[in-house]
Each structure stands twice: as C-alpha cells, then as structure tokens.
Amino acid sequence: MALLSSSSSSCSSSMAEPEDEMPHVLAVDDSSVDRKLIERLLATSSCKVTTAENVQRALEFLGLGEGHTGNRSKVNLIITDYCMPGMTGYDLLKRVKGSSDLKEIPVVIVSSENVPTRIKKCLEGGAQEFMIKPLKQSDVKKLRCHMAKFKQPCSGRLCIGR
C-alpha cells in the first residue's frame, strides 16, 4: 500500500482543466476511509488530491521532513485530521505556518470531536477552518467558492472564511 497517493478529478464541466492548472490539495488522515472520502468529495471541485496517512509523510511531501532536500511539492490547500498517532494535525499546522515558504498555504483541520478549546487553539494557530467529521458535500461547497484556478500553486491565496 502506498503511503502517498495522488489523483485528479474534474467536475462535470464542458472542458476539463489541465492537471497542472488544478488546485492541489494535500489530505492528511490516518483513516483510509476518511482519506478516500475527502478525495471523492473534492472530485466535485476539480482538484488534484494527494493523500498522506500521517503527519510525517505529509511533512516529507512538503519538503519539511527530517533531512529534507528542499524539494518541496506545491499545494494550494492542506486538509488534515486533528487526532493522529505520533504527531497531530495541530503539529502539522504549526510546522507549515512556521515555514517561510509554506506559511501562506491555507490549512483546514478536521476532527470527529467538537472540542471548543481545540477549535480555538487551531484557529488561533493559523488554521483557516475547523470542520467536524464526517465531511459532507456542503462542507466542500463552502471551500469550493474560494478555490481559485492557480496557474502555479502557492502563487495565490485561498480565502477560506471562518
């Protein structure tokens, strides 16, 4: 089983976008079911989706892992589960926001637990959104209106309101 997987999905429009012009989303969750759900939900938004099963794999993908070579993969949005073994989604958020190269990437935290202090901590730590699992199509619709079609990932910002 691959630790990282990538797929592209295009919505039912008259013309499919070239893959290099699609917004690229990194979905991080230790649950394969939740990763697959996020991937399928984002299919309606013409997104390229890469999944990672834990924070360490996500950090490696982003070029922030131990002994990284500086070869960063470009993403426009990170969706991460909060509760994962080892490092949490909050740990990933702090690493991304602490990186001069990646701090502008919007990070959305998801969790099955509605804990107000956790939500507040994540939003104050730089998360653009905190969503409760399971994600639904209406959640993706909230994000979709903010996903601009970038010529180059990270060249613009996604505006995801709280």
Side-chain angles (χ1 to χ4, degrees):
M1 176 195 266
L3 296 177
L4 280 173
S5 68
S6 182
S7 71
S8 312
S9 305
S10 60
C11 66
S12 57
S13 62
S14 58
M15 221 186 307
E17 285 184 75
E19 188 172 315
D20 61 343
E21 293 182 12
M22 293 176 161
H24 187 181
V25 178
L26 174 61
V28 187
D29 201 308
D30 58 316
S31 163
S32 61
V33 172
D34 286 334
R35 285 193 309 271
K36 193 51 93 175
L37 174 65
I38 292 168
E39 197 170 358
R40 286 191 179 147
L41 288 172
L42 288 171
T44 62
S45 299
S46 284
C47 291
K48 176 181 176 184
V49 178
T50 299
T51 59
E53 65 185 19
N54 58 45
V55 172
Q56 189 57 44
R57 294 294 294 159
L59 291 172
E60 290 170 11
F61 180 76
L62 293 167
L64 294 175
E66 293 199 21
H68 70 83
T69 60
N71 184 15
R72 299 188 194 293
S73 296
K74 304 294 185 193
V75 297
N76 302 98
L77 175 70
I78 299 168
I79 298 177
T80 181
D81 184 20
Y82 182 87
C83 292
M84 291 183 280
M87 296 174 76
T88 66
Y90 182 76
D91 295 327
L92 175 60
L93 171 69
K94 296 311 290 177
R95 291 285 300 271
V96 168
K97 296 304 175 184
S99 166
S100 59
D101 293 336
L102 303 177
K103 67 181 175 186
E104 297 301 323
I105 298 173
V107 178
V108 175
I109 308 280
V110 296
S111 178
S112 57
E113 299 171 349
N114 188 354
V115 180
T117 54
R118 178 182 298 165
I119 295 168
K120 182 179 179 187
K121 178 172 96 169
C122 290
L123 294 174
E124 288 176 350
Q128 271 62 43
E129 187 84 40
F130 192 101
M131 296 181 168
I132 303 300
K133 287 182 178 182
L135 290 183
K136 301 171 288 307
Q137 193 62 48
S138 59
D139 294 324
V140 175
K141 287 178 182 177
K142 282 190 255 180
L143 302 177
R144 180 173 45 191
C145 67
H146 301 290
M147 288 190 187
K149 293 178 173 80
F150 298 110
K151 293 280 184 212
Q152 293 184 15
C154 302
S155 64
R157 290 181 177 82
L158 289 176
C159 303
I160 300 172
R162 292 190 177 148

